[in-house]
Amino acid sequence: MTAAEAPAADSAEVLSVTDFSAGYKDERIIREVDVAFHASTLTALIGSNGAGKSTLLKSIFGLTRIFGGELRLNGTATKPDARVLVSRGLNYVPQVANVFPTLTVLENLEIGTYVRKGGSVELVVEVFPVLAKLMKRPAHKLSGGERNMLAVGRSLMSNPMMLLLDEPTGGLAPGLAEEFWHYLTDLAGRGIGIAVVEQNVDMAIRFAHDVYVLADGRIALHGTGAELSRLDNLDDLFLGRPTTAETALNRMKG
């Protein structure tokens, strides 16, 4: 499979942050970041460990300390407050502790409608057919891949416009990870904007329409998956070389 091409240029912007800084206690992890996520678009956030990828998603969802910047949802300035954001169509799925282990698959899905309704079990099963036969099974008896499907499925029950997914393929075998990216491609094709933190750079570039590379809490590089796939020195960014992003951008423009 070749790298994904970007969706139509008129894909509406759903979520953006401008000059956004966030972190924990007095430590800034994210520094003056500008990102934008669009409908029908798979956006990957990649970078080395500690680059700030997961912190960025948590911060957008109001789970860290915000030092400054602006968050806009559908063009309207919004505070990073989880309950408010869910009610307005944004949902976040963490990497761990993303299901209620003692509840059944169906019960987990039903919890997804508590703040915002509009989704359906039928849609979840259409996207993740394997869950159809697991509705009565406790979540703690699911495989890693099934748990991740359930976590994303629960978020679909709120009829979201945008999903923030923190390493949904983490811990999965390569074949299962690739299958999961196909599921995400399907969701984007249904009009949902999806932002994904992904450790597997090759997988992200193959499937994502849009890619942000983070380094040291900042955006080091931004381009389509197809553009980044043509770079021969992308790995240098993960070594923290400050001139690499400039060189890469010049190559993409050329």
Side-chain angles (χ1 to χ4, degrees):
M1 178 183 292
T2 57
E5 295 291 344
D10 60 356
S11 294
E13 181 179 289
V14 177
L15 174 70
S16 67
V17 295
T18 305
D19 200 24
F20 197 64
S21 296
Y24 306 97
K25 296 184 179 180
D26 293 327
E27 184 179 5
R28 297 190 183 213
I29 305 297
I30 300 299
R31 301 177 177 86
E32 296 87 37
V33 163
D34 295 346
V35 297
F37 305 119
H38 296 78
S40 306
T41 303
L42 258 175
T43 302
L45 304 173
I46 63 176
S48 62
N49 289 334
K53 307 179 298 297
S54 296
T55 299
L56 177 57
L57 293 194
K58 291 177 183 176
S59 300
I60 290 172
F61 207 63
L63 301 178
T64 69
R65 179 181 176 185
I66 309 302
F67 291 98
E70 183 178 63
L71 168 67
R72 301 184 75 87
L73 187 60
N74 286 331
T76 302
T78 306
K79 291 184 178 180
D81 179 280
R83 187 176 182 87
V84 170
L85 292 172
V86 171
S87 71
R88 294 187 55 194
L90 178 69
N91 219 316
Y92 165 71
V93 178
Q95 181 185 6
V96 296
N98 54 15
V99 298
F100 296 92
T102 61
L103 301 182
T104 67
V105 168
L106 180 58
E107 289 167 339
N108 267 273
L109 294 177
E110 289 171 341
I111 287 176
T113 66
Y114 281 7
V115 174
R116 174 184 165 103
K117 303 181 187 298
S120 68
V121 174
E122 289 73 23
L123 171 62
V124 173
V125 169
E126 187 177 330
V127 176
F128 301 115
V130 70
L131 295 180
K133 298 180 180 180
L134 302 174
M135 289 295 165
K136 296 182 179 180
R137 184 171 298 182
H140 69 85
K141 291 189 176 181
L142 301 179
S143 68
E146 290 165 349
R147 282 196 301 272
N148 290 353
M149 291 179 204
L150 175 57
V152 176
R154 188 179 65 243
S155 71
L156 293 178
M157 295 292 287
S158 67
N159 190 30
M161 296 180 295
M162 181 84 207
L163 294 178
L164 308 178
L165 309 180
D166 190 0
E167 294 195 48
T169 65
L172 300 184
L176 292 177
E178 181 168 339
E179 182 180 5
F180 206 92
W181 272 98
H182 282 291
Y183 291 134
L184 298 183
T185 301
D186 180 14
L187 287 176
R190 295 168 187 262
I192 300 174
I194 303 174
V196 186
V197 169
E198 177 59 73
Q199 290 287 359
N200 187 317
V201 175
D202 291 336
M203 195 81 72
I205 290 175
R206 285 174 58 199
F207 283 93
H209 309 114
D210 205 14
V211 181
Y212 287 93
V213 182
L214 277 79
D216 210 19
R218 302 179 187 275
I219 302 301
L221 184 63
H222 173 221
T224 67
E227 288 170 337
L228 268 64
S229 72
R230 293 194 288 269
L231 299 179
D232 58 10
N233 62 342
L234 184 59
D235 287 346
D236 289 347
L237 279 172
F238 295 81
L239 301 177
R241 297 174 183 169
T243 59
T244 305
E246 244 179 75
T247 303
L249 283 170
N250 290 334
R251 289 187 183 184
M252 288 197 304
K253 292 175 182 176

